[in-house]
Amino acid sequence: MTKPAPPKPTPSELEMLRLLWQSGPATAKQVHQAAMQARPDMNYATVLRLLQVMHTKGLLTRDESQRAHVYAPAQEQDSLQTNLLKELIQKAFSGSGKALVLAALRGGHVSKKEREEIQALLDQEK
């Protein structure tokens, strides 16, 4: 029997995941403080509710051994990004990774520094 695909996070959930990937496991208060740096309008109740929903969906694990629950991503960043990228390539680029890369390069989504890093990686592969 195959394992069900992990749920896709919403943009707000991805924002919370990015914060947790950067900081490591954290309480809702710690996540809220980190979120406030990018979005000062974000209130604590919203962050807490979002973390609870994400836990229910299986996007986060929750350590309930202490009074303040500690949340952590259920999936590694690379793994989730790879799954989302595969889906994007299938849906938007008819399964062509080359089309995705060309769209990113031609669409101005890649900085000069990033282009140099990509070129260095390609040169190593030769």
Side-chain angles (χ1 to χ4, degrees):
M1 192 152 89
T2 61
K3 194 170 149 184
K8 268 192 342 189
T10 66
S12 294
E13 291 169 346
L14 268 174
E15 185 179 350
M16 295 297 111
L17 284 167
R18 276 192 291 273
L19 292 172
L20 287 165
W21 284 322
Q22 289 172 356
S23 70
T27 64
K29 181 178 180 180
Q30 292 166 326
V31 174
H32 175 247
Q33 289 171 341
M36 292 273 299
Q37 293 178 9
R39 292 188 44 200
D41 61 326
M42 178 83 68
N43 67 49
Y44 174 79
T46 302
V47 171
L48 177 59
R49 183 71 188 130
L50 193 54
L51 295 174
Q52 291 169 336
V53 168
M54 292 171 71
H55 175 256
T56 301
K57 287 174 68 173
L59 291 168
L60 297 178
T61 61
R62 181 170 65 194
D63 178 356
E64 300 175 4
S65 63
Q66 300 195 22
R67 184 168 181 229
H69 297 167
V70 176
Y71 294 89
Q75 197 173 5
E76 294 293 324
Q77 184 174 4
D78 287 346
S79 176
L80 180 65
Q81 288 174 336
T82 298
N83 289 338
L84 292 173
L85 185 60
K86 284 179 186 176
E87 185 176 331
L88 175 66
I89 290 170
Q90 286 303 316
K91 286 182 176 180
F93 297 96
S94 301
S96 172
K98 175 185 169 189
L100 168 79
V101 171
L102 290 175
L105 291 172
R106 292 180 180 150
H109 302 288
V110 180
S111 70
K112 182 179 180 188
K113 182 176 186 249
E114 290 171 328
R115 283 177 182 265
E116 290 170 358
E117 292 172 5
I118 291 167
Q119 187 61 55
L121 181 66
L122 292 171
D123 291 344
Q124 285 178 351
E125 294 293 320
K126 288 183 181 178

